[in-house]
Amino acid sequence: MPEPSAPPNSSRTGLTPRSIAIWSLVALVGAAGWAVLALSRGEEISAAWMLAAALGSYAIAYRFYSRFIANRVLKVDKTRATPAERLDNGVDFHPTDRRVLFGHHFAAVAGAGPLVGPVLAAQMGYLPGTIWIIVGVIFAGAVQDMVTLFFSTRRDGRSLGQMARDEIGPFGGAAALIAVFAIMIILLAVLALVIVNALAHSPWGVFSIGMTIPIALFMGVYLRVLRPGKVTEVSVIGVALLLLAIVAGGWVAESSLAETFTLEPGTLVIWMIVYGFLASVLPVWMLLAPRDYLSTFMKVGTIALLAIGVFVALPTLKMPAFTDFASRGDGPVFAGSMFPFVFITIACGALSGFHSLVSSGTTPKMVQKETQIRMIGYGAMLTESFVAVMAMITASIIDPGLFFAINSPAGMVGTTVQSASEAVTNFGFTVSPDLLAKAAADVEEASLLSRTGGAPTFALGMSEIFSAVVGGSAMKAFWYHFAIMFEALFILTTVDAGTRVGRFMLQDMLGNVYKPFRQVSWKPGVWFASAVVVGGWGYFLWVGVHDPLGGINQLFPLFGIANQLLAAVALAVCTTLLVKSGRLKWAWVTAVPLAWDVAVTLTASWQKIFSADPRVGFFAQRDKYQAGIDSGQVLPPAKSMDDMHTVVTNSTVDGVLSALFALLIIVVIADAGRVCWKAVTDPAGVKLSEVPYTESRIVAPAGLFPTAEEKAELVAAGLGPDGGVRADRGHGDRRDGGSGDEVPAGTGSA
């Protein structure tokens, strides 16, 4: 198949002397940051250098690399109608203002990973994780998100698994469908568990996050009915209401209403299941997109303020660039060598398979213009990566001894500040009992020992930065608990969007058997598939909340590897589509990160299955606990012989699933390779499932702000800066239940 000709795209201007000077300065700032990080040894350096390296790299990557991919590799076409325009039905397909959609997409993909993964990876030192976060997102994570979004948009928003089936074939496609859906349920349950742990017994968090739901409903109706197209207006109102909800949460926590909003974990699970179902079945403009857009203000705003705080307070990186655990692989936070486990631990901050599900789920059904895919796909992932950099900073500015006391399990550090101090000394760091006690008292916690998982450490680092700028030590407790609530809000948006994406995936799968399911807005299918998805992750979550060793706790160790294996599926599908669509010379754009991801994830899978170290290998762990059962010993974390049997079962299940997932991914990649070879050797026989070209009636900017060329185009079309539908065009055909009514591009688009 011949390579597509270049479509008429906007904003193809060359570099002027002024812009060359500006971008040279940006490059120098980034290079200076990298030089300081890489060359400093044994001395503490300012965290601002890490920010300089990150921001400089992101700016260069977005301006040049993402533009190259969009214009040269993908050849996005602003004249081509997207599924949101052609199939608009006001339920799942809906042309959405680019700013609102950026907020939805970012909120949907930015979950627990960028907050806690870098914190845990700091065990190896700040440099390995920082390199992977920044380099990985530029060449792998953001590329995956943007390319997947592009190809799904060209296929009426098909899910990743269905694209694999359509383009790779029934065999590899079936393996992809099974692997993707199973991994999806595990990821959603893990994310939901983190939220339950953060909100349990927290009236402030429950009230503030609960209030985002009615605020989002109001915003959706405001944009759709009351003031169509007034995105800036509703944004101001929404942010004001959000800030009021956050402040009011503190009032509620100190009032007689505190008991009402103090919920047990089991109660939270029920409410989350109900919310996940409603977010999946209600029209996307009514709840899901406006709530994600609203959440983005808090997410991006808080992270931006945190970055400003770093530049103002100039905290130093106390964690070494490399620790001894990087070479030994026996760290107390997680066991395993730097390769591959740093790259598995830092999942979402650099490369995340979960993102490909959103990029082939809700987002492609709402994109106004193909030219916006660059900002939404690549730009949102860079933003999430910056969150990961901030998480690495919060972990690295804390005293290393305190870091390991917080993130090491109780079996290693004990339950007293004295025992923790001694254990940390054995790790090669020092921390006094007084410092451990003071750190807990400063944030009004009884103890910070063994607060594993990364979230408490992120909250502590955030409180250090914010209190240095506002309020001093007296405000540490406030900022710490604000950060805990912020993390819960950060993660919840991935659960609601993920449930809807899971519904799309299941409908695509069932549509291969019963065709009405292919109509993603067919109400019986919507309700049935939504119930199955929330029932799946809800079951594992419910059991996990009531059994410390059961339910999702059983599958939690699979989270990192499963997520990265999912990324391998996405990159394999994207590479296949590049080859099949005549873009063979550009296939390296996704093939190179695919090769790296496969090397990392399959190495990690091999070690988790076959390692003789029970801290690493699932089956070695099983043998250890089985031997304990045979000798009548109870080994931690088990507290009884029943717990010992549960650990044996969990280790066996995790080992078998690791092998199964790895095998399914190998099948997908092998079949993709076969299809690529066939496409190269017999280009005339290539068949693509891409929908035919339809001319777009929508005129809208590609980025956050219109360029001069776009402004002229908007004026010529008689439209304002937000864009809309050209008045000189017919309405065309609507499918999938579309109303046939004209819907302005910037309206009701939440």
Side-chain angles (χ1 to χ4, degrees):
M1 175 173 278
E3 183 176 328
S5 59
N9 292 312
S10 61
S11 304
R12 283 194 155 190
T13 57
L15 290 173
T16 64
R18 179 174 175 270
S19 62
I20 290 174
I22 292 173
W23 287 110
S24 297
L25 180 61
V26 171
L28 287 174
V29 169
W34 280 117
V36 173
L37 291 178
L39 300 178
S40 298
R41 290 292 182 270
E43 70 270 17
E44 294 181 5
I45 62 172
S46 172
W49 289 112
M50 189 179 292
L51 287 185
L55 293 173
S57 300
Y58 294 152
I60 295 293
Y62 184 77
R63 170 59 179 82
F64 296 100
Y65 192 51
S66 72
R67 191 173 186 175
F68 158 75
I69 295 174
N71 292 342
R72 297 289 300 279
V73 179
L74 302 180
K75 299 188 184 302
V76 295
D77 187 352
K78 70 179 182 181
T79 71
R80 187 186 186 109
T82 64
E85 180 180 358
R86 291 184 294 100
L87 308 178
D88 179 17
N89 60 11
V91 180
D92 295 310
F93 293 91
H94 190 63
T96 303
D97 184 278
R98 66 202 182 282
R99 295 159 296 185
V100 176
L101 187 54
F102 177 91
H104 158 73
H105 186 79
F106 170 73
V109 300
L115 292 177
V116 302
V119 172
L120 303 180
Q123 168 183 266
M124 302 291 190
Y126 66 76
L127 193 55
T130 300
I131 292 174
W132 172 235
I133 290 169
I134 299 174
V135 176
V137 73
I138 291 171
F139 296 106
V143 172
Q144 172 207 250
D145 293 11
M146 179 169 69
V147 178
T148 302
L149 177 56
F150 171 80
F151 282 124
S152 180
T153 301
R154 284 280 176 98
R155 285 156 180 78
D156 283 348
R158 286 294 186 194
S159 67
L160 175 65
Q162 189 61 39
M163 284 198 295
R165 188 183 187 279
D166 293 342
E167 301 292 352
I168 296 177
F171 186 62
L177 283 168
I178 295 170
V180 168
F181 189 73
I183 292 172
M184 179 72 169
I185 295 298
I186 294 174
L187 297 184
L188 288 175
V190 168
L191 294 171
L193 181 63
V194 177
I195 297 167
V196 170
N197 290 338
L199 292 183
H201 309 293
S202 172
W204 184 7
V206 168
F207 177 84
S208 297
I209 291 176
M211 286 303 297
T212 62
I213 297 174
I215 294 173
L217 290 170
F218 167 75
M219 292 175 65
V221 173
Y222 193 97
L223 271 178
R224 177 79 172 185
V225 179
L226 301 178
R227 299 276 288 170
K230 303 299 182 182
V231 176
T232 302
E233 192 173 293
V234 79
S235 300
V236 173
I237 296 173
V239 171
L241 291 174
L242 175 62
L243 294 176
L244 178 60
I246 294 170
V247 174
W251 298 339
V252 168
E254 300 296 330
S255 72
S256 58
L257 293 173
E259 186 176 350
T260 303
F261 291 94
T262 302
L263 303 183
E264 295 295 324
T267 306
L268 282 168
V269 171
I270 295 173
W271 279 113
M272 287 188 61
I273 290 174
V274 171
Y275 170 71
F277 180 83
L278 291 175
S280 179
V281 301
L282 288 176
V284 70
W285 60 264
M286 184 179 292
L287 176 60
L288 183 67
R291 189 186 178 285
D292 289 350
Y293 178 58
L294 180 66
S295 300
T296 296
F297 279 102
M298 184 176 177
K299 290 181 176 185
V300 176
T302 301
I303 294 299
L305 290 175
L306 195 59
I308 293 171
V310 169
F311 282 118
V312 173
L314 296 177
T316 58
L317 301 175
K318 295 182 173 62
M319 185 69 71
F322 291 92
T323 67
D324 292 340
F325 301 126
S327 56
R328 299 206 309 258
D330 60 351
V333 180
F334 63 90
S337 56
M338 184 172 69
F339 180 88
F341 289 106
V342 160
F343 310 100
I344 296 297
T345 304
I346 301 178
C348 303
L351 171 65
S352 171
F354 178 80
H355 294 193
S356 67
L357 304 183
V358 179
S359 294
S360 60
T362 55
T363 305
K365 298 175 178 66
M366 296 190 283
V367 175
Q368 288 176 318
K369 306 290 290 181
E370 281 192 0
T371 47
Q372 296 169 352
I373 286 172
R374 175 189 174 210
M375 179 191 79
I376 295 166
Y378 202 95
M381 184 54 192
L382 289 185
T383 307
E384 180 173 350
S385 180
F386 186 61
V387 174
V389 169
M390 296 310 304
M392 179 64 74
I393 288 175
T394 60
S396 301
I397 64 172
I398 297 172
D399 182 275
L402 178 59
F403 170 88
F404 285 106
I406 296 173
N407 290 284
S408 300
M412 288 188 174
V413 298
T415 58
T416 68
V417 291
Q418 288 78 17
S419 63
S421 177
E422 294 172 3
V424 170
T425 300
N426 293 331
F427 297 157
F429 299 95
T430 59
V431 62
S432 68
D434 290 342
L435 179 59
L436 293 174
K438 183 177 183 302
D442 285 345
V443 295
E444 297 180 8
E445 291 285 329
S447 173
L448 289 175
L449 300 181
S450 300
R451 299 289 298 274
T452 57
T457 303
F458 178 85
L460 185 63
M462 180 185 286
S463 71
E464 289 281 345
I465 294 171
F466 277 155
S467 63
V469 179
V470 180
S473 59
M475 288 288 287
K476 274 189 179 181
F478 170 84
W479 290 120
Y480 177 84
H481 290 94
F482 171 83
I484 293 294
M485 188 271 292
F486 164 76
E487 291 173 305
L489 175 65
F490 211 99
I491 301 166
L492 183 58
T493 51
T494 62
V495 175
D496 53 20
T499 300
R500 198 178 189 100
V501 170
R503 188 252 285 180
F504 292 149
M505 291 167 52
L506 184 57
Q507 287 181 270
D508 276 346
M509 291 172 63
L510 296 176
N512 294 315
V513 179
Y514 185 57
K515 290 185 178 180
F517 275 103
R518 292 184 178 179
Q519 301 175 29
V520 294
S521 300
W522 180 55
K523 289 186 177 179
V526 168
W527 296 334
F528 174 78
S530 298
V532 171
V533 173
V534 296
W537 63 256
Y539 166 77
F540 287 112
L541 178 62
W542 176 266
V543 176
V545 162
H546 292 86
D547 182 358
L549 296 176
I552 192 55
N553 295 305
Q554 179 186 61
L555 303 175
F556 202 98
L558 296 174
F559 176 81
I561 291 179
N563 190 33
Q564 299 300 71
L565 286 172
L566 192 55
V569 174
L571 290 167
V573 170
C574 289
T575 302
T576 303
L577 285 170
L578 285 175
V579 174
K580 290 181 67 176
S581 61
R583 300 172 172 92
L584 176 61
K585 69 178 181 180
W586 304 123
W588 59 267
V589 170
T590 53
V592 171
L594 170 63
W596 170 258
D597 185 50
V598 169
V600 168
T601 50
L602 292 186
T603 300
S605 297
W606 178 273
Q607 293 187 19
K608 296 299 287 185
I609 296 168
F610 296 108
S611 174
D613 185 346
R615 295 173 302 173
V616 177
F618 289 130
F619 291 116
Q621 184 182 70
R622 179 199 180 281
D623 294 342
K624 174 184 175 181
Y625 281 83
Q626 185 60 54
I629 292 173
D630 295 340
S631 62
Q633 291 181 299
V634 176
L635 307 174
K639 298 180 180 178
S640 66
M641 196 54 68
D642 286 342
D643 287 351
M644 291 286 289
H645 285 284
T646 301
V647 173
V648 168
T649 301
N650 290 355
S651 301
T652 304
V653 170
D654 289 341
V656 170
L657 286 178
S658 291
L660 176 62
F661 287 154
L663 180 61
L664 288 172
I665 300 311
I666 290 172
V667 169
V668 172
I669 294 172
D671 212 18
R674 176 189 63 81
V675 172
C676 289
W677 176 255
K678 183 178 179 181
V680 172
T681 56
D682 182 22
V686 170
K687 294 181 180 180
L688 289 169
S689 61
E690 183 176 293
V691 297
Y693 174 92
T694 301
E695 185 179 1
S696 174
R697 300 173 296 113
I698 292 176
V699 179
L704 287 177
F705 306 103
T707 63
E709 182 182 345
E710 288 171 339
K711 288 178 181 178
E713 187 177 8
L714 290 166
V715 171
L719 299 169
D722 293 338
V725 179
R726 293 180 308 200
D728 60 334
R729 300 298 302 176
H731 295 298
D733 296 329
R734 297 293 179 101
R735 291 177 284 169
D736 196 33
S739 64
D741 296 330
E742 182 177 290
V743 179
T747 70
S749 310

